[in-house]
Amino acid sequence: MNADLILHVARIENFDPAPGPATDTVVAVRDGRIVAVGGDEIPSRWSGAGTEVLDFPGATLTPGLTDAHAHPVWGAIETGTGLDLDGLTTADAVHAHIAARLADRHRTHGDHAGWVTGFNLDINVFDGEPTGHRLGQHFPGVPVSLMTRDAHSLVVSPAVIDLVGLTGAETFDDNSRVATGPDGRPTGFIVELQAMDLVFAHYPAVPLPVAAGHVAARLREFAATGLTGLHALDFTAPSEEVYRLIEADGDLPLRVRCSPLVPADSTRAVWEGVAAQQALAGRRWHVAGAKFMLDGTADNGSAWFEHPDLLGQNRRPLWTNVEGYREAVRFFTERDIPTATHAIGDQAVRTALDVIEETGHAPSAPHRIEHLESIPDDLLPRFAALGVVAGLQPAHATRMTSADQSDNWSRRIGPQRVAHGWRTRDLLDHGAVVALGSDWPIGVADPRAGLADAQLRRPVDEPDTAPVQPGQRITAREAYAGMTHAPAAAAGSAATLGRIAPGYLADLTVFARNPLDLTPEQQAANPVLATVVDGSVLHHATRPQRTSHPGHATSPRPGTPPQQTAQSQRTTQERTP
Ligand SMILES: [Zn+2]
């Protein structure tokens, strides 16, 4: 039997806790699976007519990286159509950005009409609770809606309040609120999902092909940074239509596992709907699992801590009926649907652990808890004891808080709980499976940067920034395991994904150098030469040498749409330095 693909590298690195022999340099792939791993004996055994042989001299082959927490569809649409406010630390800078967008629109379309939407707004630009008053002064009549960096609130101009018809008297059943001033009128600060949805309903519609274009472009970018998979912790419309449209025209550049949101305080009819969605799948995307949000965010005062924050907030769950959450977790567990619960505050994490302890796990995959931004010591051993996966995004710590605790998150929850922030080191030391993710578009998508941050506890590109909770540093080996072994375990796929071994799916990343030989700073710049998903190669940096069977090298494999080859080459051209 011939292999479809043989890869030659200098080193195969599995990120195992105890390093294995460094002698393996060749992998053979057939029908999307790894069939052999070894040395120079592999080609003579496995190559023949139809075998594509690729050499990456000096390179290191690793299991494909998987981002365990991202929001690719709404993230791509939001970032593709809105203004990126990342790095703007004053209100004046934000206003200047909006003014530039309006001036640009005036030049190209001759008018100022229409919405301005933005994302990545740093709420530290406001003194106290944000309002849209100054947006109204600077941009009278213009609907401006800016999403905060944590994606859990909006700051909107008075024109938006009028357009949507907000009065301040709205009530919600998920802790959402339309903030009001002393006069009882909305201030323009719109907190949490149900309230935000009222505004989103008025956003200009994005045509499906445009949305799909934004998503496809982002996924290609992600693949070029080494990702072969991601866990989408939502299945927001138009996710299904977008994935189907992209796959009608070729392959997704990476695998996507989608877990739809079960809204807070939702009814059994809604749960039935999410259960029915579990059957949905395309070639490289599928629905698996259910996402819960047990609380909001500490920055907004909507997280659920045991003790209130310094403003008397952060004390309530998003599920106002916690019994309903318990019933919902049981409902999904009984149907073999694993759950992922967003729980930022310590009381939310404790409650999620208690509920899982009571219900047990779905057979196909473990339950997981996401974010756990600050947890006390007594919760650390419970993750391993209960087999609950801890989903963390260390770049939230490194890029949204600062060591001097002058940021909003730190000021709100106070030094004692800040010291217990994003406890990657402690959770690993207590035997937990720690799956690392970006939470893109909230966090930085490039896994090389996120994994470097997790080792440094500061932004890898800011050498002069003091680390946050430096005791929570993890090693390069642990970090990369957090995006290979751990996401596979979290998805119940530890026997098929996350390792380079015979029988495993051929999802692989080809790095120019072994990340374990590099400093975090060097890792962040480590070229990704190629990614392999299901045995299909996407080239990202320099072209590999083809050493044999050139006649077959570029012909599409059986069952692979011809666009795959075109896409692969197009990516090569874009990414070749
Ligand atoms: Zn998220």
Side-chain angles (χ1 to χ4, degrees):
M1 279 218 299
N2 298 340
D4 303 317
L5 172 69
I6 289 179
L7 295 170
H8 280 267
V9 292
R11 174 95 169 95
I12 291 173
E13 179 57 65
N14 257 321
F15 306 121
D16 286 324
T23 50
D24 291 344
T25 53
V26 186
V27 166
V29 175
R30 186 183 166 84
D31 294 332
R33 280 187 191 265
I34 297 166
V35 289
V37 180
D40 291 336
E41 76 286 359
I42 300 280
S44 55
R45 217 190 127 214
W46 288 95
S47 66
T51 305
E52 181 178 14
V53 181
L54 297 178
D55 260 3
F56 294 95
T60 290
L61 189 68
T62 75
L65 301 186
T66 293
D67 184 331
H69 188 137
H71 301 282
V73 173
W74 71 254
I77 296 171
E78 184 74 31
T79 58
T81 56
L83 273 179
D84 189 354
L85 307 173
D86 187 34
L88 305 182
T89 54
T90 65
D92 287 343
V94 171
H95 297 147
H97 239 64
I98 296 167
R101 164 66 62 102
L102 287 170
D104 193 43
R105 189 182 287 170
H106 188 68
R107 263 196 307 279
T108 49
H109 300 292
D111 67 59
H112 288 296
W115 284 69
V116 176
T117 64
F119 59 99
N120 269 335
L121 175 67
D122 181 351
I123 63 169
N124 294 299
V125 307
F126 299 92
D127 293 327
E129 183 165 292
T131 76
H133 295 148
R134 290 187 62 195
L135 292 175
Q137 290 160 8
H138 282 78
F139 312 106
V142 181
V144 181
S145 176
L146 309 178
M147 187 189 279
T148 54
R149 213 161 45 175
D150 65 7
H152 280 254
S153 59
L154 300 172
V155 178
V156 304
S157 64
V160 171
I161 295 171
D162 293 344
L163 212 103
V164 179
L166 298 172
T167 65
E170 293 81 7
T171 56
F172 305 95
D173 50 20
D174 77 334
N175 236 351
S176 284
R177 67 192 172 102
V178 172
T180 52
D183 58 357
R185 294 276 304 147
T187 60
F189 188 43
I190 312 292
V191 186
E192 289 302 338
L193 306 186
Q194 287 184 9
M196 293 163 73
D197 279 342
L198 295 179
V199 178
F200 292 146
H202 291 262
Y203 270 32
V206 179
L208 188 61
V210 174
H214 288 310
V215 175
R218 280 298 183 181
L219 295 183
R220 278 198 300 275
E221 267 179 52
F222 294 168
T225 61
L227 291 172
T228 62
L230 54 85
H231 295 177
L233 269 290
D234 74 84
F235 193 56
T236 318
S239 292
E240 182 180 355
E241 293 77 5
V242 158
Y243 294 136
R244 290 199 191 284
L245 193 59
I246 296 172
E247 285 201 333
D249 206 34
D251 277 332
L252 290 169
L254 39 71
R255 278 183 218 275
V256 187
R257 175 187 193 262
C258 313
S259 302
L261 176 69
V262 179
D265 290 344
S266 52
T267 62
R268 209 183 156 91
V270 173
W271 308 348
E272 299 277 6
V274 171
Q277 286 182 312
Q278 305 291 314
L280 297 174
R283 290 195 300 278
R284 286 188 180 169
W285 65 274
H286 71 288
V287 174
K291 162 90 180 296
F292 290 88
M293 298 201 34
L294 189 50
D295 65 355
T297 70
D299 264 325
N300 276 338
S302 53
W304 187 19
F305 282 89
E306 188 181 351
H307 301 290
D309 68 15
L310 303 183
L311 301 178
Q313 298 180 334
N314 272 314
R315 188 56 195 98
R316 294 194 315 168
L318 214 57
W319 281 70
T320 53
N321 173 14
V322 174
E323 192 47 43
Y325 166 73
R326 185 188 314 271
E327 276 170 34
V329 171
R330 190 179 303 124
F331 171 93
F332 287 104
T333 306
E334 284 168 354
R335 285 158 183 77
D336 191 17
I337 300 166
T339 67
T341 295
H342 162 125
I344 280 179
D346 52 16
Q347 189 60 46
V349 178
R350 185 183 301 281
T351 302
L353 287 166
D354 289 347
V355 167
I356 294 168
E357 180 160 26
E358 216 178 274
T359 54
H361 288 284
S364 61
H367 292 303
R368 50 199 275 192
I369 301 178
E370 297 294 307
H371 305 308
L372 29 152
E373 290 189 356
S374 173
I375 57 170
D377 290 349
D378 70 302
L379 298 186
L380 292 170
R382 293 187 68 194
F383 284 85
L386 298 173
V388 176
V389 172
L392 274 99
Q393 301 77 36
H396 285 356
T398 60
R399 289 164 194 256
M400 297 190 189
T401 72
S402 53
D404 67 6
Q405 302 188 16
S406 62
D407 60 283
N408 181 61
W409 184 88
S410 304
R411 278 189 282 123
R412 266 184 178 263
I413 69 170
Q416 204 179 344
R417 288 180 288 193
V418 168
H420 287 160
W422 293 277
R423 303 180 74 171
T424 41
R425 168 83 274 140
D426 291 338
L427 283 159
L428 285 172
D429 288 348
H430 282 81
V433 172
V434 177
L436 299 179
S438 66
D439 207 10
W440 188 84
I442 296 147
V444 53
D446 188 332
R448 297 167 299 180
L451 295 175
D453 278 21
Q455 297 159 61
L456 296 166
R457 297 294 287 200
R458 63 161 171 81
V460 63
D461 46 341
E462 295 177 17
D464 298 329
T465 298
V468 290
Q469 303 100 10
Q472 298 304 323
R473 286 185 177 123
I474 58 176
T475 66
R477 185 180 292 282
E478 289 165 337
Y480 278 79
M483 278 204 179
T484 51
H485 307 181
S493 307
T496 52
L497 278 172
R499 293 194 63 77
I500 300 174
Y504 277 72
L505 291 168
D507 286 15
L508 308 161
T509 301
V510 185
F511 283 108
R513 297 178 64 192
N514 188 344
L516 302 188
D517 295 340
L518 304 177
T519 64
E521 286 82 357
Q522 291 169 328
Q523 292 164 31
N526 190 14
V528 173
L529 306 181
T531 48
V532 181
V533 177
D534 216 15
S536 294
V537 183
L538 267 181
H539 300 293
H540 300 298
T542 47
R543 275 174 188 281
Q545 286 173 258
R546 292 202 168 86
T547 53
S548 60
H549 306 288
H552 298 279
T554 53
S555 56
R557 289 174 39 222
T560 307
Q563 288 85 351
Q564 178 57 37
T565 305
Q567 184 187 51
S568 163
Q569 287 170 347
R570 190 164 62 245
T571 306
T572 305
Q573 285 159 10
E574 282 166 5
R575 296 289 158 200
T576 300

